Amino acid sequence: MQAVTTEPTSLTTALQTHIAQAIVAAGGWIGFDRFMALALYTPGLGYYANDSTKFGAMPQSGSDFVTAPELTPLFGQTLALQVDEALAQTGTHAVWEFGAGSGALALQLLDALGDRVQRYTIVDLSGSLRARQQTLLARHAHKLQWVDALPAQFEGVVVGNEVLDAMPVQLLARHGGHEGGVWHERGVVVHEGAFAWADRPTDLRPPVEIEGPHDYLTEIHAQGQGFIRTLADRLVRGAIFLLDYGFGESEYYHPQRHMGTVMCHQGHLADSDPLVAVGLKDITAHVNFTAMALAAQEAGLEVLGYTTQAHFLINCGLLSKMEQLPQVQRATAAKLIMEHEMGELFKVLALSKGTAWNALGFVRGDRSHRL
């Protein structure tokens, strides 16, 4: 059991009360996926639904983390070349962005693509972020629309940068090791007025056998896979580009990765305790890209490619764009492709509905065969 101390703000108090009531209503225990969903997305109170700054390059701004589009506009300008090719290959004229954050990526894509995009739709559950996006994107207002759910059918190019990592995951814990070890689902209870962990035996399992005698904590990604299946079901014609941090299955469930991948971000500091400061910090998990690719194929999508962010952006012409920048800006942009920054941990998975093609971002370094 782990007690919670939080900042005594009205936000955290209201959110904790709401989650505690949900736990009581569920019989005293909820799975971590439910807890994560409530912590991030409860209307008006959850992390992505409240008015905190979230996105920015420096903690002095009140932000908690930086994403690639906030780091440098070259990210969106380079991605735009791949989106442009995809629009042409699929014969579509619409872009759909999920979880558009501050709106920085949308601005970069809209500026770069010009008349190639006739409609840009942002799918975002956060009302406060939507207001920020509308302000930033005002000059493109005639092309923009916001929705909080997908229509029954749509076409175009889908972009999701750091979307999958924010989707709730189920936590699985093995106690007692490989021989005779018992799998549990880790959930959350209220203990002495605070949130605490509690494990329950479960029939759920990771997709691969975890070798070794040690206790093991990991995640499975039912909501992320469900998101992919929904896209496959409703996308009539188009392509999907998902950029996020994560691994293929063999690396994700490596015996040495025994502490799982759930991380929290607040004030540009990372920690591994989502039960603290609920509503004031982001909660994420790395993406199992094998699971996403399999869900896509089973639902009728083609895998166009899978590679590191470094390979993808270099294939799309980032280096020539960097050469035109002053040294300071060039050094910042280099973080997108440096191995110890975003270049190796971040991956790009591309999917298509309809005829596949040799997509620009995967001409060198494609790792689809390693999924």
Side-chain angles (χ1 to χ4, degrees), residues 14-345:
L15 181 59
Q16 286 189 66
T17 299
H18 178 75
I19 296 174
Q21 289 171 344
I23 292 172
V24 171
W29 180 96
I30 58 173
F32 178 72
D33 56 334
R34 175 76 174 134
F35 177 87
M36 184 173 170
L38 291 167
L40 294 180
Y41 301 111
T42 296
L45 300 175
Y47 177 76
Y48 281 109
N50 65 47
D51 291 329
S52 63
T53 303
K54 300 175 187 65
F55 305 92
M58 301 294 287
Q60 293 90 321
S61 66
S63 62
D64 296 313
F65 55 87
V66 64
T67 63
E70 274 89 29
L71 200 61
T72 168
L74 257 61
F75 177 76
Q77 292 166 12
T78 306
L79 176 59
L81 270 77
Q82 177 63 91
V83 174
D84 186 33
E85 180 192 62
L87 289 166
Q89 289 285 341
T90 60
T92 59
H93 305 278
V95 173
W96 298 71
E97 184 183 356
F98 282 81
S102 66
L105 179 56
L107 183 62
Q108 292 157 20
L109 290 175
L110 282 161
D111 283 349
L113 291 167
D115 293 338
R116 291 289 294 114
V117 176
Q118 295 174 7
R119 172 66 71 184
Y120 197 105
T121 303
I122 293 176
V123 188
D124 210 315
L125 299 176
S126 172
S128 61
L129 287 175
R130 183 180 297 192
R132 289 179 62 187
Q133 294 159 8
Q134 288 171 334
T135 300
L136 184 67
L137 301 170
R139 69 173 178 269
H140 295 289
H142 61 290
K143 294 183 180 180
L144 282 157
Q145 65 176 354
W146 280 261
V147 298
D148 52 19
L150 275 176
Q153 290 189 322
F154 73 105
E155 61 178 37
V157 175
V158 175
V159 175
N161 183 57
E162 293 197 47
V163 170
L164 291 171
D165 67 81
M167 293 192 176
V169 294
Q170 290 168 283
L171 285 182
L172 298 184
R174 183 182 68 191
H175 304 303
H178 178 54
E179 297 297 331
V182 178
W183 283 100
H184 297 72
E185 182 175 4
R186 179 156 294 178
V188 181
V189 297
V190 178
H191 178 70
E192 296 181 353
F195 297 130
W197 295 117
D199 294 352
R200 289 184 169 183
T202 181
D203 292 330
L204 295 171
R205 295 289 184 275
V208 296
E209 189 72 32
I210 310 296
E211 299 298 326
H214 52 302
D215 289 354
Y216 196 90
L217 179 67
T218 191
E219 306 91 25
I220 55 175
H221 303 76
Q223 291 210 24
Q225 291 166 278
F227 169 70
I228 298 291
R229 284 191 290 269
T230 299
L231 288 179
D233 180 55
R234 302 188 183 189
L235 183 62
V236 177
R237 181 174 50 139
I240 302 165
F241 296 92
L242 300 169
L243 303 92
D244 226 312
Y245 44 89
F247 315 102
E249 195 167 81
S250 60
E251 191 176 353
Y252 198 101
Y253 296 108
H254 193 281
Q256 293 180 357
R257 202 177 302 284
H258 62 95
M259 297 299 290
T261 72
V262 170
M263 289 298 294
C264 306
H265 303 275
Q266 184 180 19
H268 292 261
L269 298 174
D271 72 84
S272 58
D273 191 351
L275 304 189
V276 170
V278 181
L280 297 178
K281 61 185 181 182
D282 193 16
I283 306 172
T284 72
H286 287 44
V287 178
N288 172 6
F289 279 102
T290 302
M292 301 307 146
L294 287 173
Q297 288 180 323
E298 290 166 2
L301 294 172
E302 296 276 349
V303 174
L304 286 178
Y306 167 69
T307 192
T308 63
Q309 180 170 291
H311 271 123
F312 178 81
L313 293 176
I314 291 170
N315 287 338
C316 291
L318 177 68
L319 296 182
S320 61
K321 292 180 181 296
M322 285 173 58
E323 288 172 0
Q324 301 167 32
L325 292 178
Q327 180 57 39
V328 172
Q329 294 177 27
R330 197 183 309 167
T332 301
K335 293 181 179 181
L336 296 173
I337 55 174
M338 291 169 69
E339 185 175 345
H340 65 283
E341 294 280 355
M342 303 176 81
E344 179 68 27
L345 178 59

